[in-house]
Amino acid sequence: MSGQLYVAPGATYNDVAAALQAAYTKKTAGQFDALSNMQSQGPMGMNVQMNMQTQQSYSISSIEYKGGDVDKEAVAVAGNHEAKIMMHMQMDMGPPKGQCCLVC
């Protein structure tokens, strides 16, 4: 993914990372909501709706400029940069929604 990010003159790379993290979080909001409504094939061919909750957050692991890591305290310069974004996801699965039984 690529894009353009504008920050105030004099902003440090820490400021850039915070702005990038906020923009990326906003852009990907709701991306995994479909997982909570996922249908699965249950016993004896019954359709079972999964009870899954997901939470995701992002952090900027590094920003590179001209092939090297930037100093996070330095004033950011204009130009093409490469950022590595880490996604942290927590998935909580509960019992299936609705009535379900298994007869043995």
Side-chain angles (χ1 to χ4, degrees):
M1 175 189 293
S2 65
Q4 293 182 339
L5 181 68
Y6 297 97
V7 295
T12 67
Y13 281 106
N14 278 329
D15 299 328
V16 171
L20 178 59
Q21 182 176 343
Y24 196 79
T25 299
K26 182 178 180 180
K27 181 171 179 55
T28 59
Q31 185 175 10
F32 294 96
D33 288 349
L35 288 175
S36 63
N37 296 316
M38 190 170 60
Q39 297 280 334
S40 177
Q41 192 75 20
M44 299 187 309
M46 297 182 337
N47 284 330
V48 177
Q49 186 172 4
M50 304 300 289
N51 185 11
M52 182 184 313
Q53 300 297 318
T54 63
Q55 288 183 311
Q56 59 274 353
S57 62
Y58 304 93
S59 63
I60 309 305
S61 63
S62 69
I63 299 176
E64 296 180 6
Y65 182 63
K66 294 187 177 181
D69 285 340
V70 299
D71 176 5
K72 294 178 182 180
E73 300 299 323
V75 174
V77 297
N80 292 330
H81 292 69
E82 182 175 315
K84 294 182 180 161
I85 302 172
M86 292 180 55
M87 180 177 76
H88 311 273
M89 178 179 272
Q90 177 178 339
M91 299 174 79
D92 297 320
M93 292 187 67
K97 295 177 183 177
Q99 299 289 328
C100 178
C101 58
L102 178 61
V103 179
C104 297

